[in-house]
Short mmCIF file of all heavy atoms in Angstrom, two decimals:
data_model
loop_
_atom_site.label_atom_id
_atom_site.label_comp_id
_atom_site.label_asym_id
_atom_site.label_seq_id
_atom_site.Cartn_x
_atom_site.Cartn_y
_atom_site.Cartn_z
N PRO A 210 2.86 -1.76 -23.91
CA PRO A 210 3.63 -0.61 -23.43
C PRO A 210 4.21 -0.87 -22.05
O PRO A 210 3.57 -1.50 -21.20
CB PRO A 210 2.59 0.52 -23.39
CG PRO A 210 1.47 0.07 -24.28
CD PRO A 210 1.44 -1.41 -24.17
N ARG A 211 5.42 -0.38 -21.83
CA ARG A 211 6.05 -0.45 -20.51
C ARG A 211 5.53 0.71 -19.67
O ARG A 211 5.55 1.86 -20.12
CB ARG A 211 7.57 -0.39 -20.63
CG ARG A 211 8.18 -1.50 -21.47
CD ARG A 211 9.70 -1.37 -21.56
NE ARG A 211 10.10 -0.07 -22.11
CZ ARG A 211 10.16 0.23 -23.39
NH1 ARG A 211 9.81 -0.66 -24.30
NH2 ARG A 211 10.55 1.42 -23.80
N VAL A 212 5.08 0.41 -18.45
CA VAL A 212 4.41 1.42 -17.62
C VAL A 212 5.12 1.55 -16.27
O VAL A 212 5.44 0.55 -15.62
CB VAL A 212 2.93 1.04 -17.39
CG1 VAL A 212 2.23 2.12 -16.55
CG2 VAL A 212 2.21 0.86 -18.73
N PHE A 213 5.34 2.79 -15.87
CA PHE A 213 5.88 3.09 -14.54
C PHE A 213 4.83 3.82 -13.73
O PHE A 213 4.22 4.79 -14.21
CB PHE A 213 7.13 3.97 -14.68
CG PHE A 213 7.63 4.54 -13.38
CD1 PHE A 213 8.12 3.71 -12.38
CD2 PHE A 213 7.61 5.92 -13.16
CE1 PHE A 213 8.58 4.24 -11.18
CE2 PHE A 213 8.08 6.45 -11.96
CZ PHE A 213 8.56 5.61 -10.97
N LEU A 214 4.59 3.35 -12.52
CA LEU A 214 3.64 3.99 -11.61
C LEU A 214 4.39 4.99 -10.73
O LEU A 214 5.32 4.60 -9.99
CB LEU A 214 2.95 2.93 -10.75
CG LEU A 214 1.79 3.36 -9.83
CD1 LEU A 214 2.24 4.09 -8.59
CD2 LEU A 214 0.74 4.18 -10.58
N TYR A 215 4.00 6.25 -10.81
CA TYR A 215 4.63 7.29 -9.98
C TYR A 215 3.63 7.76 -8.93
O TYR A 215 2.60 8.35 -9.25
CB TYR A 215 5.07 8.47 -10.84
CG TYR A 215 5.67 9.61 -10.04
CD1 TYR A 215 6.87 9.44 -9.35
CD2 TYR A 215 5.03 10.85 -9.96
CE1 TYR A 215 7.42 10.48 -8.60
CE2 TYR A 215 5.57 11.89 -9.22
CZ TYR A 215 6.77 11.70 -8.55
OH TYR A 215 7.30 12.73 -7.79
N ASP A 216 3.97 7.48 -7.70
CA ASP A 216 3.14 7.91 -6.58
C ASP A 216 3.58 9.28 -6.08
O ASP A 216 2.78 10.22 -6.01
CB ASP A 216 3.24 6.87 -5.45
CG ASP A 216 2.46 7.26 -4.21
OD1 ASP A 216 2.91 8.19 -3.50
OD2 ASP A 216 1.44 6.64 -3.92
N SER A 217 4.85 9.41 -5.75
CA SER A 217 5.36 10.65 -5.17
C SER A 217 6.88 10.53 -5.05
O SER A 217 7.46 9.49 -5.34
CB SER A 217 4.74 10.88 -3.78
OG SER A 217 5.03 9.78 -2.93
N GLY A 218 7.48 11.62 -4.57
CA GLY A 218 8.91 11.62 -4.29
C GLY A 218 9.72 12.27 -5.38
O GLY A 218 9.49 12.05 -6.57
N ARG A 219 10.70 13.08 -4.97
CA ARG A 219 11.60 13.74 -5.93
C ARG A 219 12.98 13.11 -5.88
O ARG A 219 13.54 12.77 -6.91
CB ARG A 219 11.66 15.23 -5.65
CG ARG A 219 10.32 15.92 -5.89
CD ARG A 219 10.46 17.40 -6.10
NE ARG A 219 9.20 17.98 -6.57
CZ ARG A 219 9.13 19.07 -7.31
NH1 ARG A 219 10.23 19.71 -7.67
NH2 ARG A 219 7.96 19.54 -7.70
N ASP A 220 13.55 12.96 -4.70
CA ASP A 220 14.87 12.33 -4.60
C ASP A 220 14.81 10.86 -5.01
O ASP A 220 15.69 10.36 -5.69
CB ASP A 220 15.41 12.45 -3.18
CG ASP A 220 15.68 13.88 -2.78
OD1 ASP A 220 15.89 14.71 -3.69
OD2 ASP A 220 15.67 14.18 -1.57
N GLN A 221 13.77 10.18 -4.58
CA GLN A 221 13.52 8.79 -4.95
C GLN A 221 12.03 8.62 -5.20
O GLN A 221 11.21 9.06 -4.38
CB GLN A 221 13.95 7.82 -3.85
CG GLN A 221 15.45 7.65 -3.68
CD GLN A 221 15.75 6.56 -2.67
OE1 GLN A 221 15.27 6.59 -1.54
NE2 GLN A 221 16.53 5.56 -3.07
N PRO A 222 11.64 7.99 -6.29
CA PRO A 222 10.20 7.82 -6.53
C PRO A 222 9.62 6.69 -5.70
O PRO A 222 10.24 5.63 -5.54
CB PRO A 222 10.14 7.49 -8.02
CG PRO A 222 11.46 6.85 -8.32
CD PRO A 222 12.46 7.52 -7.42
N PHE A 223 8.44 6.93 -5.18
CA PHE A 223 7.66 5.90 -4.49
C PHE A 223 6.77 5.26 -5.53
O PHE A 223 6.08 5.95 -6.28
CB PHE A 223 6.83 6.55 -3.38
CG PHE A 223 6.31 5.57 -2.35
CD1 PHE A 223 7.13 5.15 -1.31
CD2 PHE A 223 5.01 5.09 -2.41
CE1 PHE A 223 6.66 4.26 -0.35
CE2 PHE A 223 4.53 4.21 -1.46
CZ PHE A 223 5.36 3.79 -0.42
N THR A 224 6.79 3.92 -5.60
CA THR A 224 6.15 3.24 -6.72
C THR A 224 5.61 1.88 -6.30
O THR A 224 5.59 1.55 -5.12
CB THR A 224 7.16 3.09 -7.89
OG1 THR A 224 6.48 2.57 -9.04
CG2 THR A 224 8.31 2.18 -7.51
N SER A 225 5.17 1.10 -7.27
CA SER A 225 4.54 -0.18 -7.01
C SER A 225 5.37 -1.34 -7.56
O SER A 225 5.77 -1.34 -8.72
CB SER A 225 3.16 -0.22 -7.67
OG SER A 225 2.66 -1.55 -7.73
N GLY A 226 5.57 -2.34 -6.70
CA GLY A 226 6.13 -3.61 -7.15
C GLY A 226 5.01 -4.55 -7.55
O GLY A 226 3.88 -4.14 -7.83
N ARG A 227 5.31 -5.85 -7.51
CA ARG A 227 4.35 -6.82 -8.05
C ARG A 227 3.18 -7.13 -7.13
O ARG A 227 2.20 -7.74 -7.56
CB ARG A 227 5.06 -8.13 -8.41
CG ARG A 227 5.53 -8.93 -7.22
CD ARG A 227 5.92 -10.35 -7.63
NE ARG A 227 6.98 -10.34 -8.63
CZ ARG A 227 7.50 -11.44 -9.15
NH1 ARG A 227 7.03 -12.63 -8.79
NH2 ARG A 227 8.49 -11.37 -10.01
N PHE A 228 3.26 -6.72 -5.85
CA PHE A 228 2.22 -7.11 -4.91
C PHE A 228 1.24 -5.99 -4.56
O PHE A 228 0.37 -6.17 -3.71
CB PHE A 228 2.83 -7.68 -3.63
CG PHE A 228 3.52 -9.00 -3.83
CD1 PHE A 228 4.82 -9.18 -3.41
CD2 PHE A 228 2.86 -10.05 -4.43
CE1 PHE A 228 5.46 -10.41 -3.59
CE2 PHE A 228 3.48 -11.28 -4.61
CZ PHE A 228 4.79 -11.45 -4.19
N ALA A 229 1.38 -4.83 -5.17
CA ALA A 229 0.41 -3.76 -4.97
C ALA A 229 -0.56 -3.74 -6.16
O ALA A 229 -0.27 -4.27 -7.24
CB ALA A 229 1.10 -2.41 -4.83
N ALA A 230 -1.71 -3.12 -5.96
CA ALA A 230 -2.77 -3.15 -6.96
C ALA A 230 -2.33 -2.69 -8.35
O ALA A 230 -2.78 -3.25 -9.35
CB ALA A 230 -3.96 -2.34 -6.47
N PRO A 231 -1.44 -1.67 -8.49
CA PRO A 231 -1.08 -1.25 -9.84
C PRO A 231 -0.49 -2.35 -10.71
O PRO A 231 -0.60 -2.29 -11.94
CB PRO A 231 -0.06 -0.13 -9.58
CG PRO A 231 -0.47 0.45 -8.28
CD PRO A 231 -0.90 -0.74 -7.47
N GLU A 232 0.15 -3.34 -10.10
CA GLU A 232 0.73 -4.43 -10.90
C GLU A 232 -0.31 -5.04 -11.83
O GLU A 232 -0.11 -5.16 -13.04
CB GLU A 232 1.31 -5.49 -9.97
CG GLU A 232 1.62 -6.83 -10.62
CD GLU A 232 2.82 -6.79 -11.56
OE1 GLU A 232 3.59 -5.82 -11.51
OE2 GLU A 232 2.98 -7.75 -12.36
N GLN A 233 -1.46 -5.45 -11.28
CA GLN A 233 -2.47 -6.08 -12.12
C GLN A 233 -3.34 -5.07 -12.84
O GLN A 233 -3.90 -5.38 -13.89
CB GLN A 233 -3.30 -7.07 -11.31
CG GLN A 233 -2.57 -8.39 -11.13
CD GLN A 233 -3.46 -9.45 -10.52
OE1 GLN A 233 -3.83 -9.33 -9.35
NE2 GLN A 233 -3.79 -10.47 -11.28
N ILE A 234 -3.48 -3.89 -12.29
CA ILE A 234 -4.19 -2.85 -13.03
C ILE A 234 -3.46 -2.59 -14.35
O ILE A 234 -4.08 -2.50 -15.42
CB ILE A 234 -4.31 -1.57 -12.19
CG1 ILE A 234 -5.29 -1.81 -11.03
CG2 ILE A 234 -4.77 -0.38 -13.04
CD1 ILE A 234 -5.33 -0.69 -10.02
N ILE A 235 -2.14 -2.52 -14.29
CA ILE A 235 -1.34 -2.30 -15.49
C ILE A 235 -1.37 -3.52 -16.41
O ILE A 235 -1.61 -3.40 -17.62
CB ILE A 235 0.11 -1.95 -15.10
CG1 ILE A 235 0.17 -0.57 -14.43
CG2 ILE A 235 1.03 -1.99 -16.32
CD1 ILE A 235 1.48 -0.27 -13.73
N SER A 236 -1.16 -4.70 -15.86
CA SER A 236 -1.05 -5.89 -16.72
C SER A 236 -2.39 -6.26 -17.34
O SER A 236 -2.46 -6.59 -18.53
CB SER A 236 -0.49 -7.07 -15.93
OG SER A 236 -1.34 -7.44 -14.87
N GLU A 237 -3.48 -6.17 -16.58
CA GLU A 237 -4.79 -6.50 -17.14
C GLU A 237 -5.23 -5.46 -18.16
O GLU A 237 -6.00 -5.76 -19.07
CB GLU A 237 -5.84 -6.62 -16.03
CG GLU A 237 -5.60 -7.76 -15.04
CD GLU A 237 -5.89 -9.14 -15.64
OE1 GLU A 237 -6.08 -9.25 -16.86
OE2 GLU A 237 -5.90 -10.11 -14.86
N ALA A 238 -4.72 -4.24 -18.03
CA ALA A 238 -5.05 -3.18 -18.98
C ALA A 238 -4.26 -3.30 -20.27
O ALA A 238 -4.53 -2.57 -21.24
CB ALA A 238 -4.80 -1.81 -18.35
N GLY A 239 -3.29 -4.20 -20.31
CA GLY A 239 -2.53 -4.39 -21.53
C GLY A 239 -1.14 -3.80 -21.51
O GLY A 239 -0.50 -3.68 -22.56
N GLY A 240 -0.64 -3.45 -20.32
CA GLY A 240 0.71 -2.93 -20.19
C GLY A 240 1.59 -3.87 -19.39
O GLY A 240 1.16 -4.94 -18.96
N THR A 241 2.84 -3.47 -19.19
CA THR A 241 3.79 -4.22 -18.37
C THR A 241 4.37 -3.28 -17.32
O THR A 241 4.93 -2.23 -17.66
CB THR A 241 4.94 -4.77 -19.23
OG1 THR A 241 4.40 -5.68 -20.20
CG2 THR A 241 5.94 -5.52 -18.36
N ASN A 242 4.22 -3.64 -16.07
CA ASN A 242 4.81 -2.86 -14.98
C ASN A 242 6.32 -2.99 -15.06
O ASN A 242 6.86 -4.10 -14.95
CB ASN A 242 4.29 -3.38 -13.64
CG ASN A 242 4.89 -2.66 -12.44
OD1 ASN A 242 5.55 -1.63 -12.58
ND2 ASN A 242 4.65 -3.19 -11.25
N VAL A 243 7.03 -1.89 -15.24
CA VAL A 243 8.49 -1.97 -15.38
C VAL A 243 9.17 -2.47 -14.10
O VAL A 243 10.33 -2.85 -14.12
CB VAL A 243 9.10 -0.61 -15.80
CG1 VAL A 243 8.61 -0.20 -17.17
CG2 VAL A 243 8.84 0.47 -14.75
N LEU A 244 8.42 -2.49 -12.98
CA LEU A 244 8.99 -2.98 -11.72
C LEU A 244 8.30 -4.26 -11.26
O LEU A 244 8.18 -4.53 -10.07
CB LEU A 244 8.89 -1.88 -10.65
CG LEU A 244 9.83 -0.71 -10.95
CD1 LEU A 244 9.48 0.50 -10.10
CD2 LEU A 244 11.28 -1.11 -10.74
N HIS A 245 7.89 -5.06 -12.23
CA HIS A 245 7.23 -6.33 -11.93
C HIS A 245 8.11 -7.24 -11.08
O HIS A 245 7.61 -8.03 -10.28
CB HIS A 245 6.88 -7.04 -13.25
CG HIS A 245 6.45 -8.46 -13.06
ND1 HIS A 245 5.19 -8.82 -12.62
CD2 HIS A 245 7.14 -9.64 -13.23
CE1 HIS A 245 5.10 -10.14 -12.54
NE2 HIS A 245 6.27 -10.66 -12.91
#
Side-chain angles (χ1 to χ4, degrees):
R211 301 179 303 277
V212 181
F213 170 65
L214 187 285
Y215 177 66
D216 177 288
S217 58
R219 295 200 170 207
D220 295 336
Q221 287 186 305
F223 197 82
T224 187
S225 165
R227 70 167 59 180
F228 291 127
E232 165 71 15
Q233 280 189 292
I234 290 171
I235 291 167
S236 63
E237 296 287 11
T241 299
N242 178 11
V243 296
L244 291 166
H245 168 78

